[in-house]
Amino acid sequence: EVRLVESGGDLVQPGRSLRLSCAASGFTFDDFAMHWVRQAPGKGLEWVSCISWNKNNIVYADSVKGRFTISRDDAKNSLFLHVSSLRAEDTALYYCAKGGSHVCLSARFHNWGQGTQVTVSS
Amino acid sequence: DIQMTQSPSSLSASVGDRVTITCQASQDIKNYLNWYQQKPGKAPKLLISDASNLETGVPSRFSGSGSGTDFTFTISSLQPEDIATYYCQQYDNLPFTFGPGTKLDIK
């Protein structure tokens, strides 16, 4: 059974940083691209970032480019999102999601974690 | 960016009703369109991929159709457990974008 478990969310002040983690199990992690998707309170879904299976393709939404960094550790079956220069509008539940194949463009999100909450407030 | 619109934004229907949600893309996305169901407090669940491909384990009352810019999601006979918000999502081009959602409840 595929399982994705996010952690690392917190209440932080504007301008600060966090590292979000996603522990994966139940599938061959290094065969798949992995994504982050976020959802602001009471709002819809926003795709944030993707890293391909071999780390050669990394893409970001314009809203986070230059501030967020996606990475993965295949030895630990883990996905990360380093979020920096946080703004109030980054407040959201951050989900990790398994992609449909090894490339980012196969963005069928078959499996999701339960999310980790990031709240940016002074 | 490709803009996705959905209608209606909310919908109230009775058990057993046929329910239809439409999704429109701002440009041709071929069939690179997914539909998700999100129940309150839960993560989204992929129901349909590639516009019309029903995911394994998803009840056959759910279906999808369309290509290009216009897509339709249908529940043939609404069940109480179908109460949720439904999102379409395109993956023809980066950034991947979602529709604003359709909130479905029981009349």
Side-chain angles (χ1 to χ4, degrees), chain A residues 39 104-105 107-110 113, chain B residues 34 36 38 50 55 89 91:
Chain A
Q39 187 168 34
C104 286
L105 279 178
R108 306 177 197 87
F109 306 133
H110 293 273
Chain B
N34 300 321
Y36 298 86
Q38 187 178 32
D50 300 340
E55 292 296 305
Q89 173 238 332
Y91 62 104

Side-chain angles (χ1 to χ4, degrees), chain A residues 97-108:
Chain A
K98 174 176 164 283
S101 79
H102 58 294
V103 297
C104 286
L105 279 178
S106 182
R108 306 177 197 87

Side-chain angles (χ1 to χ4, degrees), chain B residues 28-87:
Chain B
D28 186 350
I29 59 169
K30 307 168 195 68
N31 69 331
Y32 296 126
L33 191 283
N34 300 321
W35 289 98
Y36 298 86
Q37 175 193 65
Q38 187 178 32
K39 296 184 178 180
K42 300 293 187 182
K45 176 184 177 182
L46 178 62
L47 300 182
I48 291 172
S49 61
D50 300 340
S52 60
N53 181 49
L54 193 67
E55 292 296 305
T56 302
V58 175
S60 59
R61 64 180 180 273
F62 296 99
S63 64
S65 65
S67 66
T69 60
D70 295 300
F71 301 86
T72 300
F73 173 82
T74 300
I75 306 173
S76 60
S77 177
L78 185 67
Q79 300 302 303
E81 61 267 31
D82 299 336
I83 298 313
T85 299
Y86 292 85
Y87 296 93

Side-chain angles (χ1 to χ4, degrees), chain A residues 62-101:
Chain A
D62 284 348
S63 57
V64 307
K65 202 174 293 183
R67 300 187 299 120
F68 289 12
T69 303
I70 192 171
S71 61
R72 63 190 295 159
D73 183 340
D74 293 341
K76 295 183 177 178
N77 286 353
S78 294
L79 175 72
F80 305 101
L81 187 69
H82 185 256
V83 298
S84 63
S85 303
L86 283 163
R87 307 166 179 166
E89 54 265 36
D90 296 318
T91 294
L93 188 63
Y94 285 72
Y95 293 102
C96 71
K98 174 176 164 283
S101 79

